[in-house]
Amino acid sequence: KAGVTQTPRYLIKTRGQQVTLSCSPISGHRSVSWYQQTPGQGLQFLFEYFSETQRNKGNFPGRFSGRQFSNSRSEMNVSTLELGDSALYLCASSPQMTGETEAFFGQGTRLTVV
Amino acid sequence: GQQVMQIPQYQHVQEGEDFTTYCNSSTTLSNIQWYKQRPGGHPVFLIQLVKSGEVKKQKRLTFQFGEAKKNSSLHITATQTTDVGTYFCAGQGNYGQNFVFGPGTRLSVLP
């Protein structure tokens, strides 16, 4: 079974630009969660999608948004990028809602904002 | 909101020594999960604990869930260099709150 795939792996953007990250979950998994990981803040929950609906949302500004498609693939969008958005963005897929069963993480997208 | 803390933040041990990391939640958890992230890697699921007072073992790793379901621990016996990484606990409250990760404990094992 293929694992969780995130694209791109690395990204360099300029302040003020926007970016879209993609996550393809494990086949059959309906939940996709997104996390921001930075050295100082650890793993911060962004949002979770289950069956195309956002079920939970973390404490991030409205510049961070996401969606999930009917095939469970998910995208995360960050608009008006700031230097502080530089981080590793991880997505995780689960058969059910996050926390009910184990989550499988992708390799992440390393975003650098300059 | 719900907060999950872990101590210690860092731990350096000599190979063969034991290691323990502790996880504490500000609220009662429905369950708790543990993950390991190797340097440069992504978090990998280790185990899930659901019942109050539950103890589970995986070879040299012992996981415990507190009686009040607000704390947990991971103990590694006789550490090896392959145990190097950051260990995260993660939990969710009883009312569908967000799944929250602790800040992690970074383990270094000196050969």
Side-chain angles (χ1 to χ4, degrees), chain A residues 35 37 42-43 45 56-59 88 90 98-103 105-107, chain B residues 31 33 35 37 40-45 48 88 92 96-99 101-103:
Chain A
Y35 297 87
Q37 187 172 35
L43 275 161
F45 172 77
N56 281 313
K57 191 177 191 306
N59 295 322
L88 179 67
L90 291 159
T98 298
E100 295 179 10
T101 57
E102 71 177 278
F105 282 83
Q107 298 284 356
Chain B
N31 61 59
Q33 296 181 359
Y35 290 80
Q37 185 174 21
H42 58 278
V44 174
F45 175 84
Q48 176 170 290
F88 294 96
Q92 187 173 41
Q97 295 97 319
N98 294 338
F99 192 60
F101 276 80

Side-chain angles (χ1 to χ4, degrees), chain A:
Chain A
K1 225 179 194 181
V4 179
T5 304
Q6 290 188 246
T7 57
R9 290 292 309 278
Y10 303 93
L11 208 48
I12 299 176
K13 289 286 188 178
T14 306
R15 271 182 304 173
Q17 287 187 311
Q18 75 163 18
V19 67
T20 299
L21 312 181
S22 179
C23 174
S24 293
I26 292 172
S27 177
H29 286 193
R30 299 162 65 188
S31 166
V32 174
S33 295
W34 288 89
Y35 297 87
Q36 181 194 67
Q37 187 172 35
T38 57
Q41 297 295 322
L43 275 161
Q44 300 292 311
F45 172 77
L46 280 154
F47 27 66
E48 177 178 13
Y49 287 87
F50 186 86
S51 296
E52 301 179 66
T53 302
Q54 187 181 92
R55 299 302 180 104
N56 281 313
K57 191 177 191 306
N59 295 322
F60 279 81
R63 299 186 297 109
F64 292 82
S65 63
R67 59 178 174 169
Q68 187 179 33
F69 302 96
S70 58
N71 61 358
S72 293
R73 189 178 71 85
S74 178
E75 286 182 348
M76 189 190 91
N77 185 275
V78 188
S79 63
T80 320
L81 283 166
E82 301 176 358
L83 295 178
D85 296 333
S86 295
L88 179 67
Y89 290 88
L90 291 159
C91 82
S93 79
S94 302
Q96 301 299 330
M97 290 286 289
T98 298
E100 295 179 10
T101 57
E102 71 177 278
F104 296 81
F105 282 83
Q107 298 284 356
T109 294
R110 173 82 55 188
L111 172 65
T112 302
V113 182
V114 297

Side-chain angles (χ1 to χ4, degrees), chain B residues 12-65:
Chain B
H12 304 278
V13 300
Q14 205 72 36
E15 189 172 20
E17 291 182 336
D18 291 356
F19 159 76
T20 303
T21 173
Y22 299 91
C23 176
N24 292 287
S25 170
S26 59
T27 60
T28 302
L29 300 170
S30 59
N31 61 59
I32 195 159
Q33 296 181 359
W34 285 90
Y35 290 80
K36 176 185 178 182
Q37 185 174 21
R38 294 180 186 272
H42 58 278
V44 174
F45 175 84
L46 293 175
I47 208 158
Q48 176 170 290
L49 304 172
V50 179
K51 299 177 183 176
S52 167
E54 188 171 14
V55 178
K56 286 189 176 180
K57 293 191 176 185
Q58 288 180 349
K59 297 182 180 177
R60 295 178 295 104
L61 277 61
T62 302
F63 303 84
Q64 188 165 7
F65 202 7

